[in-house]
Amino acid sequence: MIIKDLLQQLPSQPGIYQFINKSNDIIYIGKAKNLKKRVQSYFNKTHSDIKTQVLVKRIDTFKYIVTASEKEALILENQLIKTFQPRYNILLKDDKTYPYIKVTTSEPFPKIVITRYKKNDSNRYFGPYPSIGSTRKLRRFLYELFPIRDCKKQITLTEKQPKCLLLDIQKCIGPCIYKDIKPDYDELVADLIL
């Protein structure tokens, strides 16, 4: 299908677009509040910067994905740029990314941490989230709902550790001291993940 026909089919919704060259490589990924206006702007006017002129000349076709909001488009754009590393995307190629909530299920007594890197390990990741501030608020809220540990100590299944203030103020069920609570702790973590 030629570009002129594809442009007519574009919706006026938020989303991301992918420009593809003749070799079927994604050469640019962008986000838009209004896909129709944004994508058409590449083809309906003369561009002053050389990078955009060269980009437009190399576009053979394009694809798009409609999202529920502009924020969702921003997050999807970031993920796709990191995955495909398009030639004409200069920003967002680095390792810095949006934050995730990680539940450290690889530990005997898991905790909730914030990370910018989603690894292929045995922990559970949720996100990405649009801002570090909202992620920190979510983490605090989760700790209020689920009294699991929030300490940096290595907590084992057998060795007792010194208790912390959170146990005294009943914000944690105390895996540092009470090793027999493992089934209850695992149930709290399962509820948290749900």
Side-chain angles (χ1 to χ4, degrees), residues 2-191:
I2 56 176
I3 287 180
K4 196 186 290 184
D5 294 334
L6 287 171
L7 290 171
Q8 297 303 315
Q9 296 176 6
L10 281 165
S12 298
Q13 295 170 282
I16 63 101
Y17 52 94
Q18 302 171 348
F19 291 149
I20 299 164
N21 67 10
K22 285 184 174 150
S23 304
N24 211 26
D25 297 322
I26 297 171
I27 57 173
Y28 186 79
I29 297 172
K31 66 169 176 17
K33 187 176 6 181
N34 181 323
L35 281 166
K36 188 177 207 85
K37 282 183 183 176
R38 181 69 182 126
V39 175
Q40 285 181 348
S41 75
Y42 283 93
F43 301 99
N44 293 343
K45 65 180 183 180
T46 308
H47 300 281
S48 56
D49 72 290
I50 293 174
K51 179 192 149 220
T52 307
Q53 290 173 13
V54 173
L55 168 67
V56 171
K57 284 180 187 173
R58 298 213 171 137
I59 299 169
D60 186 55
T61 188
F62 65 87
K63 296 180 199 171
Y64 62 90
I65 300 171
V66 175
T67 59
S69 68
E70 196 176 356
K71 266 189 180 176
E72 191 177 307
L74 181 72
I75 292 169
L76 181 59
E77 175 198 34
N78 179 41
Q79 290 175 321
L80 291 175
I81 288 172
K82 287 189 179 11
T83 301
F84 294 107
Q85 299 280 311
R87 179 180 180 161
Y88 291 93
N89 284 96
I90 295 163
L91 301 174
L92 301 177
K93 280 187 177 181
D94 61 3
D95 285 341
K96 189 173 185 292
T97 186
Y98 293 103
Y100 291 86
I101 293 278
K102 175 169 87 169
V103 180
T104 60
T105 51
S106 60
E107 298 178 325
F109 293 101
K111 61 185 174 189
I112 305 164
V113 295
I114 295 172
T115 181
R116 287 195 181 268
Y117 306 100
K118 185 176 180 183
K119 297 179 182 172
N120 192 10
D121 55 18
S122 57
N123 296 306
R124 292 292 305 269
Y125 292 86
F126 300 90
Y129 296 98
S131 77
I132 194 71
S134 64
T135 310
R136 286 183 181 136
K137 284 179 188 172
L138 175 59
R139 181 177 178 266
R140 278 195 303 272
F141 180 68
L142 291 172
Y143 272 123
E144 285 180 29
L145 291 175
F146 303 97
I148 62 175
R149 74 185 189 97
D150 184 20
C151 57
K152 291 180 175 45
K153 298 178 201 168
Q154 283 289 93
I155 308 273
T156 67
L157 288 168
T158 54
E159 205 176 300
K160 285 189 178 183
Q161 285 87 11
K163 71 175 182 166
C164 67
L165 179 64
L166 292 176
L167 177 61
D168 291 334
I169 61 173
Q170 298 177 348
K171 294 277 186 185
C172 178
I173 61 172
C176 50
I177 296 194
Y178 308 115
K179 302 302 175 178
D180 59 340
I181 62 160
K182 176 79 172 129
D184 294 333
Y185 198 94
D186 287 346
E187 192 174 320
L188 275 173
V189 172
D191 289 346

